[in-house]
Amino acid sequence: MKLAIVGSGHVGLVSGACFAEKGYEVLCIDNDKKKIATLKKGVIPFYEPGINELVLTNRRKGRLKFSTSIKEGIDNSEIIFIAVGTPLGEDGSADLSYIENVSYEIAKYLKDYRVIVEKSTVPVKTGERIKTLISKYAPGKEFDVVSNPEFLQEGKAIQTTLFPDRIVVGVETKRAEGVMRKLYAPFKAPLIITNLVSAELIKHASNSFLALKISYVNALARICELSGADITQVAYGIGLDKRIGPDFLKAGIGYGGYCLPKDVAAFAHISEQLGYNFNLLKEIQKINVTQRDWFVKKVEKELWVVKGKKIGVWGLSFKADTDDTRESPAVEICQRLLELGAHIQVYDPQVHKLQLSDAKHQIKFCRTPYEAAKGVHCLLLVTEWNEFKQADFKRLKKIMLHPTIIDGRNMFDSTMLQRLGFTYRSVGRN
Ligand code: UGA
C-alpha cells in the first residue's frame, strides 16, 4: 500500500516514518523546499528520540521518500494524509487555512478514487468542509474523507505511534473503512470505527480532558500549600483509584506545547459556535495561565526585589525530551522575570537559542547546568529533564551565590536538599 503525507512536521514525519516501519511505501510532502532538502540529506529539523534512526533505516530500504509535490503524492498513493498545522487564530478558533489550501491542491490533481485522511487536529465538522471543497473543485471525482486523529506525545512520539492505546477512524462509507482497516492491520491496538464528527470530537475531547486533569491537580496544589497538605501524596492517593488513574496528575507550572493550549481554546470556540457555552474549558485555561503567575510570585517571594538579580534556569522546552519551546511555560516564566529586571542564564539539553519577542530582554544560554547556576541568587527548575536529577548538589551549592532552588516540577527530594543547606521551594509541597 502506498501512502502520501502532506505536512512533514512532528506529526507528519513521525507518522510517515512509523508507517514506513510497518512496511508501507510513504511519500512525505511539504511545501517548505528547504525542509524537504534537509530531510533528503537525512537531517531531522527537530529533536525526537529515535526519529533519526527510523528515518535513516526506512530511507535506506526505499520505503520513505520526500517531495514538495502534492501531485506526485496523489498520482501514486491510495491514501493521502493531511498533517499540516492548525495554529491558534486570533479569536481562539483553529486557523484552518493550511487545511483549506491542501484540500484545494488535492482537488486539483485528483483523478481516481483516493481516501483523504485528516490527521491534523481540527474542530468538529472540518471533515465535512474538506468534502464540500473537494467535491466543488473536483466534480464527479471519487474520494472519501476520513478522520484519523493522532495521539502521539512529543518525546515519546515513536512509541506512542507504533504502540498506541487506541486507533480512532471516522468514516462515512464501507469502502473507506475497508481501506483504513487494511492500513492499521499491522498495528496491535483497539481500532475504533466511528462517524466523521465523532472521531474529530474524540481528539479535542481527549486533549481537553488531559488539560483538565493537569489544571485540576494544579488547583489542588494551591490548596495543598494553603492547608499544609502535600500534592504528591494527594495525587498518588487519588490516582490509585482505577476510575481516575495516575497519569497527568503531576502538579507543576501548567501545561504547554503546541497542542493542549491551542486545542482547549479551539474546543471552547467551536462549542460556542455550535451553541454550547463550555465554561469548564475556560476555567481549565484560567487555572493554567495563573499557574505561571503563581510560580513567578514564588520567585518574587524568595528574592524580594527581582530587579538586578541573577537567576539560573534549568530547562526551556515545554516538557522533557523535546526541543519544542512553543507555548512553553518555562519560556513564559523567563519572559516575566526578564520584564521584572532579572538577569537570566539558562541551560537546556536541547534548546540552545531562542529569540524572545522583546529584543531588549534576552536570556543568556549556558553550555552546562553548572554554568547556568554560577553566581545566581536562585535556581529555577522548570523542565523535568532526567539529566537534572543527577546533579551534583554539593558542587551546585558552592557555585551559587545563594543556595535557593525553586522547583516547578517537584523533581527533587526536599529532605535531601534541606539537609545539604539549600532553601528549597516546590509546587504544593510544604
Ligand atoms: C499532547 C497529548 O498528550 C497527545 O496525546 C496528543 O497527541 C498531542 O498533545 C497532540 O495533540 O498532538 P504533547 O503536546 O506532546 O501531547 O504533550 P503532553 O505530554 O500531553 O504534555 C503537555 C503539557 O502538559 C506539558 O507542558 C507537560 O509538562 C504538562 N504536563 C503533563 C503536566 O504539567 N503534568 C502532567 O501530569 C502531565
Side-chain angles (χ1 to χ4, degrees), residues 329-379:
V331 172
E332 207 179 312
I333 287 164
C334 286
Q335 232 152 355
R336 302 259 185 97
L337 293 169
L338 285 167
E339 281 157 20
L340 290 171
H343 302 289
I344 306 276
Q345 44 193 53
V346 174
Y347 168 75
D348 184 287
Q350 288 297 331
V351 184
H352 307 301
K353 61 175 190 285
L354 184 76
Q355 189 62 43
L356 296 178
S357 45
D358 179 357
K360 266 201 323 238
H361 297 126
Q362 292 301 325
I363 48 188
K364 178 184 163 200
F365 276 90
C366 302
R367 275 164 305 165
T368 69
Y370 301 102
E371 194 187 330
K374 203 166 168 206
V376 298
H377 292 82
C378 82
L379 177 65

Side-chain angles (χ1 to χ4, degrees), residues 11 121 150-156 160 166 203 206-207 210 213-214 217-218 246-263 288 292 317-320 322 324 327-329 382 384 409:
V11 171
T121 303
E150 59 79 30
F151 300 102
L152 72 80
Q153 261 180 286
E154 288 187 25
K156 296 182 204 161
T160 45
R166 77 305 204 185
K203 172 66 193 197
S206 297
N207 271 5
L210 293 173
K213 282 188 99 175
I214 300 167
V217 82
N218 282 333
D247 296 333
F248 277 67
L249 285 182
K250 281 200 203 86
I253 50 177
Y255 60 80
Y258 185 62
C259 304
L260 261 48
K262 135 180 114 60
D263 291 355
N288 197 50
R292 295 150 200 207
S317 52
F318 81 96
K319 62 174 182 176
T322 177
D324 196 343
E327 295 290 323
S328 169
V382 279
E384 73 287 20
R409 300 283 188 165

